[in-house]
Amino acid sequence: MRDGTATKNKINRVAMELFAEKGVTETTTKDIAAGAGIAEGTIYRHYKSKDELVKKLFLSLYEEQGKYLQEIASTGKDSKQKIADMIVRFCQLFAEDKALFTFLLLTQHGQLKEVPDDMITPVVVLRDLIAQGQSDGRIKQGDPDFMAAMVLGVVIQPAVFHVYGRLTQDYKSFIQDLTEAAWSIVRLDE
């Protein structure tokens, strides 16, 4: 019996790229099969439906990014450097795998309700980092969820502009500005 891992990985990659390029609604399983060089029925050996493919793909990639950020959060660096390193991670991901970043960005609104409460996500990791910084007296007091939303907005909204062509510079060129803007949201008033 053959291991279908390579085929499933190919389906996932092609689907992610097509979802990022065309949108989930506009992408058909026929498109995915053609892009992966497989029969359309092969997709259904791995997923019950396109909806299941989108959900499982989003959840696995979203958790993967959460785990990357958790590694950053667990370093011995101070809060400011951890936030800076997380922003570097976002910018590198956008520059190195725009399809992945775009897929997560554009499908999150339909998929976030599917995220289990115990999943490690970028939002949870950032919120917990802010809460820990507040406990340590290194980050100003406030609602950590609201502050995490504001920091993520600083990073994500320019990415949206980039995806739609309003910003054309290399996304990594924004690292310093994004870091300064994010830190200004959480830093203690001096």
Side-chain angles (χ1 to χ4, degrees), residues 88-99 101-102 105 158-160 162-163 169-172:
V88 167
R89 171 68 189 153
F90 283 122
C91 293
Q92 285 175 332
L93 179 63
F94 189 88
E96 294 167 8
D97 197 344
K98 191 173 178 181
F101 192 100
T102 302
L105 182 68
V160 170
H162 203 289
V163 166
Q169 305 93 308
D170 177 3
Y171 201 69
K172 289 190 286 189

Side-chain angles (χ1 to χ4, degrees), residues 31 35 37 40 53 61 63 70 104 110-111 127 137 142 149 160 179 181:
D31 296 332
E40 188 175 2
L53 167 58
L61 294 172
E63 183 175 38
Q70 187 176 49
L104 289 173
Q111 298 302 314
R127 181 205 57 216
V160 170
T179 301

Side-chain angles (χ1 to χ4, degrees), residues 19-64:
F19 294 150
E21 178 187 333
K22 296 172 59 171
V24 170
T25 305
E26 293 78 15
T27 301
T28 66
T29 53
K30 191 174 206 167
D31 296 332
I32 296 166
I38 59 171
E40 188 175 2
T42 304
I43 294 170
Y44 296 103
R45 289 187 203 142
H46 300 279
Y47 299 102
K48 293 177 188 172
S49 65
K50 183 177 85 168
D51 289 341
E52 183 185 64
L53 167 58
V54 173
K55 175 184 172 181
K56 287 187 173 186
L57 185 59
F58 176 83
L59 291 176
S60 69
L61 294 172
Y62 194 56
E63 183 175 38
E64 181 180 277

Side-chain angles (χ1 to χ4, degrees), residues 61-93:
L61 294 172
Y62 194 56
E63 183 175 38
E64 181 180 277
Q65 297 312 310
K67 288 179 179 179
Y68 279 122
L69 296 188
Q70 187 176 49
E71 287 176 20
I72 293 168
S74 66
T75 65
K77 298 176 181 178
D78 67 22
S79 301
K80 183 177 183 178
Q81 189 58 54
K82 289 177 185 181
I83 289 173
D85 290 349
M86 289 179 182
I87 290 171
V88 167
R89 171 68 189 153
F90 283 122
C91 293
Q92 285 175 332
L93 179 63

Side-chain angles (χ1 to χ4, degrees), residues 7-8 18 22-24 36-37 46 49 56 59 67 80 89 95 108 112 114 132 140 146 148 154 172 175 187:
T7 301
K8 186 174 183 178
L18 288 170
K22 296 172 59 171
V24 170
H46 300 279
S49 65
K56 287 187 173 186
L59 291 176
K67 288 179 179 179
K80 183 177 183 178
R89 171 68 189 153
Q108 69 176 325
L112 287 175
E114 302 294 337
Q132 183 62 50
K140 72 180 176 182
F146 179 66
V154 162
K172 289 190 286 189
I175 289 173
R187 76 170 178 250

